[in-house]
Amino acid sequence: MRPLSGLSRPASVLLLVYAGVSVVCTLAGVGQIVEYWTVWPSAGELGTTMLISDTVFATLALPQLGLWLASFVLLLMWIHRANKNLATLTGASIGFSPAWAVWCFFVPFLNLLMPYQAVREIWQVSHKGDVTGLRLVMWWWALFLVSRIIDMVAGRASVYAQDTGGYIAIAGASAVASAVVAAASLVGAAMIRRVTAAYSANYDEAAASAAPSGWYSDPSGRHQLRFWTGTAWHAAVADGGAVSHDPLIAPTTLSSVTSAAE
């Protein structure tokens, strides 16, 4: 089992860096609005004059895109690992598989809600059902969606901009989108830290990784023994030497696993 902290730290740090760059992009967008408003009425043909704010914004575009891709990939890797580790540590089937928790981000229409549901499930399982602070996940997803929508609208509208007012509107929309992205990134970093802290407090990765396959006391308490595969609890159970099958249907921590004789 790979430790969740190995991805939590770089993912949260990269989101914070991305938030910082997005704040700078927001300021550059405000600069564009000011320059468009004050310079273009007397600055030659509309759309052909390269202003200082245009140069700054263009310079920041590539780093911002690179940071977005890197932070998004790290976030997906973190979601996959958190989901997979929690499924192993609890021994129960989580609603979203590790793969589907990632791929749902790319399925049209479903990606409007399912990614939020996948991360919400990670929050709930890592916190053992405690929903305190769960709104953090809701705010992260809402801000993420709003930023994507504004950015998409601004991108399409830029094709039809023909006057100073149109360019100012586009610059304003881009500045707002960058500001919302910065907020979403900050909330996302906080969400990762909160989930990781609860995960570390409630589950013992070392104990789970160290336990070899074999028969152990049933963590659900329904049977004498349950078979541990080395990575997850199996449906096989034993009572008085008689083996049967009874899948776990509720999350159960592995931190209390103790060895038991067959």
Side-chain angles (χ1 to χ4, degrees), residues 9-48:
R9 191 171 296 107
S12 59
V13 168
L14 197 57
L15 281 172
L16 292 175
V17 174
Y18 181 46
V21 172
S22 297
V23 169
V24 176
C25 287
T26 300
L27 297 177
V30 173
Q32 279 185 313
I33 295 173
V34 173
E35 283 201 302
Y36 291 171
W37 188 270
T38 59
V39 176
W40 265 3
S42 59
E45 187 178 351
L46 184 68
T48 62

Short mmCIF file of all heavy atoms in Angstrom, two decimals, residues 9-48:
data_model
loop_
_atom_site.label_atom_id
_atom_site.label_comp_id
_atom_site.label_asym_id
_atom_site.label_seq_id
_atom_site.Cartn_x
_atom_site.Cartn_y
_atom_site.Cartn_z
N ARG A 9 0.95 15.85 0.03
CA ARG A 9 1.80 17.04 0.18
C ARG A 9 2.07 17.71 -1.17
O ARG A 9 1.83 18.92 -1.32
CB ARG A 9 3.10 16.66 0.89
CG ARG A 9 3.93 17.86 1.32
CD ARG A 9 5.10 17.44 2.20
NE ARG A 9 4.64 16.86 3.46
CZ ARG A 9 4.69 15.57 3.76
NH1 ARG A 9 5.18 14.70 2.89
NH2 ARG A 9 4.26 15.12 4.91
N PRO A 10 2.58 17.00 -2.18
CA PRO A 10 2.84 17.67 -3.46
C PRO A 10 1.57 18.20 -4.12
O PRO A 10 1.60 19.25 -4.76
CB PRO A 10 3.51 16.59 -4.31
CG PRO A 10 3.20 15.30 -3.65
CD PRO A 10 3.05 15.59 -2.20
N ALA A 11 0.45 17.47 -3.98
CA ALA A 11 -0.80 17.92 -4.60
C ALA A 11 -1.27 19.23 -3.98
O ALA A 11 -1.67 20.16 -4.69
CB ALA A 11 -1.87 16.85 -4.45
N SER A 12 -1.23 19.32 -2.65
CA SER A 12 -1.69 20.54 -1.98
C SER A 12 -0.75 21.71 -2.26
O SER A 12 -1.19 22.84 -2.48
CB SER A 12 -1.83 20.31 -0.48
OG SER A 12 -0.60 19.90 0.09
N VAL A 13 0.56 21.44 -2.27
CA VAL A 13 1.54 22.51 -2.54
C VAL A 13 1.36 23.04 -3.97
O VAL A 13 1.38 24.26 -4.20
CB VAL A 13 2.97 22.01 -2.32
CG1 VAL A 13 3.98 23.01 -2.87
CG2 VAL A 13 3.24 21.77 -0.85
N LEU A 14 1.17 22.14 -4.92
CA LEU A 14 1.02 22.57 -6.31
C LEU A 14 -0.26 23.37 -6.49
O LEU A 14 -0.30 24.35 -7.26
CB LEU A 14 1.02 21.35 -7.24
CG LEU A 14 1.27 21.64 -8.72
CD1 LEU A 14 2.60 22.36 -8.92
CD2 LEU A 14 1.27 20.34 -9.52
N LEU A 15 -1.31 23.00 -5.78
CA LEU A 15 -2.55 23.77 -5.84
C LEU A 15 -2.35 25.18 -5.28
O LEU A 15 -2.91 26.15 -5.80
CB LEU A 15 -3.66 23.05 -5.07
CG LEU A 15 -4.33 21.88 -5.79
CD1 LEU A 15 -5.27 21.13 -4.86
CD2 LEU A 15 -5.10 22.37 -7.03
N LEU A 16 -1.55 25.29 -4.23
CA LEU A 16 -1.27 26.61 -3.67
C LEU A 16 -0.47 27.47 -4.64
O LEU A 16 -0.72 28.67 -4.79
CB LEU A 16 -0.51 26.46 -2.34
CG LEU A 16 -1.31 25.86 -1.18
CD1 LEU A 16 -0.41 25.67 0.03
CD2 LEU A 16 -2.50 26.75 -0.82
N VAL A 17 0.50 26.85 -5.33
CA VAL A 17 1.28 27.58 -6.33
C VAL A 17 0.38 28.02 -7.48
O VAL A 17 0.46 29.16 -7.96
CB VAL A 17 2.44 26.71 -6.86
CG1 VAL A 17 3.15 27.41 -8.01
CG2 VAL A 17 3.42 26.39 -5.75
N TYR A 18 -0.50 27.12 -7.91
CA TYR A 18 -1.44 27.44 -8.98
C TYR A 18 -2.36 28.58 -8.57
O TYR A 18 -2.68 29.46 -9.38
CB TYR A 18 -2.23 26.19 -9.33
CG TYR A 18 -3.23 26.36 -10.45
CD1 TYR A 18 -2.88 27.02 -11.62
CD2 TYR A 18 -4.52 25.86 -10.33
CE1 TYR A 18 -3.79 27.17 -12.66
CE2 TYR A 18 -5.43 26.01 -11.37
CZ TYR A 18 -5.07 26.67 -12.52
OH TYR A 18 -5.96 26.82 -13.54
N ALA A 19 -2.78 28.58 -7.30
CA ALA A 19 -3.62 29.67 -6.80
C ALA A 19 -2.88 30.99 -6.87
O ALA A 19 -3.45 32.03 -7.26
CB ALA A 19 -4.05 29.38 -5.36
N GLY A 20 -1.59 30.99 -6.51
CA GLY A 20 -0.80 32.21 -6.57
C GLY A 20 -0.68 32.75 -7.97
O GLY A 20 -0.84 33.97 -8.21
N VAL A 21 -0.39 31.87 -8.93
CA VAL A 21 -0.28 32.30 -10.33
C VAL A 21 -1.63 32.81 -10.83
O VAL A 21 -1.70 33.79 -11.60
CB VAL A 21 0.23 31.14 -11.20
CG1 VAL A 21 0.17 31.51 -12.69
CG2 VAL A 21 1.65 30.76 -10.82
N SER A 22 -2.71 32.19 -10.41
CA SER A 22 -4.05 32.62 -10.82
C SER A 22 -4.37 34.00 -10.28
O SER A 22 -5.05 34.80 -10.95
CB SER A 22 -5.10 31.61 -10.36
OG SER A 22 -4.90 30.35 -10.97
N VAL A 23 -3.90 34.31 -9.08
CA VAL A 23 -4.09 35.66 -8.52
C VAL A 23 -3.36 36.68 -9.38
O VAL A 23 -3.89 37.76 -9.69
CB VAL A 23 -3.59 35.72 -7.06
CG1 VAL A 23 -3.54 37.17 -6.58
CG2 VAL A 23 -4.49 34.90 -6.15
N VAL A 24 -2.13 36.35 -9.79
CA VAL A 24 -1.37 37.25 -10.67
C VAL A 24 -2.10 37.43 -12.00
O VAL A 24 -2.16 38.55 -12.55
CB VAL A 24 0.05 36.71 -10.89
CG1 VAL A 24 0.81 37.59 -11.89
CG2 VAL A 24 0.81 36.62 -9.58
N CYS A 25 -2.68 36.35 -12.53
CA CYS A 25 -3.45 36.44 -13.78
C CYS A 25 -4.68 37.32 -13.59
O CYS A 25 -5.09 38.05 -14.51
CB CYS A 25 -3.86 35.05 -14.24
SG CYS A 25 -2.51 34.06 -14.91
N THR A 26 -5.28 37.26 -12.41
CA THR A 26 -6.43 38.12 -12.12
C THR A 26 -6.03 39.59 -12.17
O THR A 26 -6.71 40.43 -12.77
CB THR A 26 -7.00 37.79 -10.74
OG1 THR A 26 -7.42 36.43 -10.70
CG2 THR A 26 -8.21 38.68 -10.43
N LEU A 27 -4.90 39.90 -11.56
CA LEU A 27 -4.39 41.28 -11.56
C LEU A 27 -4.04 41.73 -12.99
O LEU A 27 -4.28 42.88 -13.36
CB LEU A 27 -3.17 41.40 -10.65
CG LEU A 27 -3.43 41.12 -9.16
CD1 LEU A 27 -2.12 41.18 -8.38
CD2 LEU A 27 -4.45 42.09 -8.60
N ALA A 28 -3.48 40.79 -13.77
CA ALA A 28 -3.16 41.12 -15.17
C ALA A 28 -4.43 41.40 -15.95
O ALA A 28 -4.46 42.29 -16.82
CB ALA A 28 -2.39 39.97 -15.80
N GLY A 29 -5.49 40.66 -15.66
CA GLY A 29 -6.76 40.90 -16.32
C GLY A 29 -7.34 42.26 -15.97
O GLY A 29 -7.89 42.96 -16.84
N VAL A 30 -7.21 42.64 -14.71
CA VAL A 30 -7.66 43.97 -14.29
C VAL A 30 -6.84 45.04 -15.03
O VAL A 30 -7.37 46.07 -15.47
CB VAL A 30 -7.52 44.14 -12.77
CG1 VAL A 30 -7.82 45.59 -12.36
CG2 VAL A 30 -8.44 43.17 -12.03
N GLY A 31 -5.53 44.77 -15.18
CA GLY A 31 -4.67 45.70 -15.92
C GLY A 31 -5.11 45.83 -17.37
O GLY A 31 -5.07 46.93 -17.95
N GLN A 32 -5.53 44.71 -17.96
CA GLN A 32 -6.03 44.76 -19.33
C GLN A 32 -7.26 45.66 -19.44
O GLN A 32 -7.37 46.47 -20.36
CB GLN A 32 -6.40 43.35 -19.80
CG GLN A 32 -5.22 42.52 -20.27
CD GLN A 32 -5.68 41.19 -20.84
OE1 GLN A 32 -6.51 40.50 -20.23
NE2 GLN A 32 -5.16 40.83 -21.99
N ILE A 33 -8.17 45.53 -18.48
CA ILE A 33 -9.40 46.34 -18.51
C ILE A 33 -9.05 47.82 -18.45
O ILE A 33 -9.58 48.64 -19.22
CB ILE A 33 -10.31 45.96 -17.33
CG1 ILE A 33 -10.79 44.51 -17.48
CG2 ILE A 33 -11.49 46.90 -17.25
CD1 ILE A 33 -11.56 43.99 -16.29
N VAL A 34 -8.14 48.17 -17.54
CA VAL A 34 -7.74 49.57 -17.39
C VAL A 34 -7.10 50.10 -18.66
O VAL A 34 -7.42 51.20 -19.14
CB VAL A 34 -6.77 49.73 -16.19
CG1 VAL A 34 -6.22 51.15 -16.13
CG2 VAL A 34 -7.47 49.37 -14.89
N GLU A 35 -6.19 49.31 -19.25
CA GLU A 35 -5.50 49.76 -20.47
C GLU A 35 -6.45 49.82 -21.66
O GLU A 35 -6.37 50.75 -22.47
CB GLU A 35 -4.32 48.84 -20.78
CG GLU A 35 -3.11 49.11 -19.90
CD GLU A 35 -1.83 48.57 -20.53
OE1 GLU A 35 -1.78 47.35 -20.80
OE2 GLU A 35 -0.89 49.35 -20.75
N TYR A 36 -7.34 48.85 -21.78
CA TYR A 36 -8.30 48.89 -22.88
C TYR A 36 -9.16 50.15 -22.78
O TYR A 36 -9.48 50.79 -23.78
CB TYR A 36 -9.21 47.66 -22.85
CG TYR A 36 -8.54 46.35 -23.18
CD1 TYR A 36 -9.20 45.14 -23.00
CD2 TYR A 36 -7.25 46.31 -23.69
CE1 TYR A 36 -8.59 43.93 -23.30
CE2 TYR A 36 -6.63 45.12 -24.00
CZ TYR A 36 -7.31 43.92 -23.80
OH TYR A 36 -6.71 42.73 -24.09
N TRP A 37 -9.51 50.48 -21.56
CA TRP A 37 -10.42 51.60 -21.34
C TRP A 37 -9.74 52.94 -21.60
O TRP A 37 -10.36 53.89 -22.10
CB TRP A 37 -10.95 51.55 -19.91
CG TRP A 37 -12.05 52.54 -19.64
CD1 TRP A 37 -11.92 53.81 -19.19
CD2 TRP A 37 -13.43 52.31 -19.83
NE1 TRP A 37 -13.14 54.41 -19.08
CE2 TRP A 37 -14.11 53.50 -19.46
CE3 TRP A 37 -14.19 51.21 -20.27
CZ2 TRP A 37 -15.48 53.63 -19.52
CZ3 TRP A 37 -15.57 51.34 -20.31
CH2 TRP A 37 -16.20 52.55 -19.95
N THR A 38 -8.45 53.03 -21.24
CA THR A 38 -7.76 54.32 -21.31
C THR A 38 -6.90 54.51 -22.56
O THR A 38 -6.66 55.65 -22.97
CB THR A 38 -6.86 54.52 -20.08
OG1 THR A 38 -5.90 53.44 -20.02
CG2 THR A 38 -7.69 54.51 -18.81
N VAL A 39 -6.43 53.41 -23.16
CA VAL A 39 -5.49 53.52 -24.28
C VAL A 39 -6.15 53.34 -25.63
O VAL A 39 -5.91 54.10 -26.57
CB VAL A 39 -4.34 52.49 -24.13
CG1 VAL A 39 -3.41 52.55 -25.34
CG2 VAL A 39 -3.57 52.77 -22.85
N TRP A 40 -7.00 52.35 -25.75
CA TRP A 40 -7.53 52.00 -27.07
C TRP A 40 -8.34 53.09 -27.77
O TRP A 40 -8.33 53.16 -28.99
CB TRP A 40 -8.33 50.71 -26.99
CG TRP A 40 -7.47 49.55 -27.34
CD1 TRP A 40 -6.14 49.57 -27.64
CD2 TRP A 40 -7.87 48.20 -27.44
NE1 TRP A 40 -5.67 48.32 -27.92
CE2 TRP A 40 -6.73 47.44 -27.80
CE3 TRP A 40 -9.07 47.53 -27.27
CZ2 TRP A 40 -6.76 46.08 -27.99
CZ3 TRP A 40 -9.12 46.17 -27.45
CH2 TRP A 40 -7.97 45.44 -27.81
N PRO A 41 -9.06 53.95 -27.05
CA PRO A 41 -9.81 54.97 -27.79
C PRO A 41 -8.92 55.84 -28.68
O PRO A 41 -9.40 56.47 -29.62
CB PRO A 41 -10.43 55.81 -26.65
CG PRO A 41 -10.61 54.82 -25.54
CD PRO A 41 -9.38 53.95 -25.62
N SER A 42 -7.60 55.88 -28.40
CA SER A 42 -6.71 56.70 -29.22
C SER A 42 -5.47 55.93 -29.66
O SER A 42 -4.43 56.49 -29.90
CB SER A 42 -6.27 57.94 -28.43
OG SER A 42 -5.60 57.54 -27.23
N ALA A 43 -5.59 54.61 -29.75
CA ALA A 43 -4.40 53.79 -30.02
C ALA A 43 -4.50 52.99 -31.30
O ALA A 43 -4.26 51.80 -31.33
CB ALA A 43 -4.14 52.85 -28.84
N GLY A 44 -4.89 53.60 -32.39
CA GLY A 44 -4.86 52.93 -33.68
C GLY A 44 -5.96 51.90 -33.84
O GLY A 44 -7.01 51.95 -33.20
N GLU A 45 -5.73 50.96 -34.71
CA GLU A 45 -6.74 49.97 -35.06
C GLU A 45 -7.00 49.01 -33.90
O GLU A 45 -6.06 48.48 -33.30
CB GLU A 45 -6.30 49.17 -36.28
CG GLU A 45 -7.39 48.23 -36.80
CD GLU A 45 -6.96 47.48 -38.05
OE1 GLU A 45 -5.90 47.81 -38.60
OE2 GLU A 45 -7.70 46.57 -38.46
N LEU A 46 -8.26 48.81 -33.62
CA LEU A 46 -8.67 47.97 -32.50
C LEU A 46 -8.23 46.53 -32.73
O LEU A 46 -8.40 45.96 -33.79
CB LEU A 46 -10.20 48.02 -32.36
CG LEU A 46 -10.81 47.27 -31.18
CD1 LEU A 46 -10.42 47.95 -29.87
CD2 LEU A 46 -12.33 47.24 -31.32
N GLY A 47 -7.62 45.92 -31.70
CA GLY A 47 -7.24 44.52 -31.76
C GLY A 47 -5.86 44.26 -32.32
O GLY A 47 -5.41 43.12 -32.34
N THR A 48 -5.20 45.29 -32.84
CA THR A 48 -3.86 45.08 -33.40
C THR A 48 -2.77 45.69 -32.53
O THR A 48 -1.58 45.45 -32.77
CB THR A 48 -3.76 45.70 -34.81
OG1 THR A 48 -3.99 47.11 -34.72
CG2 THR A 48 -4.79 45.07 -35.75
#
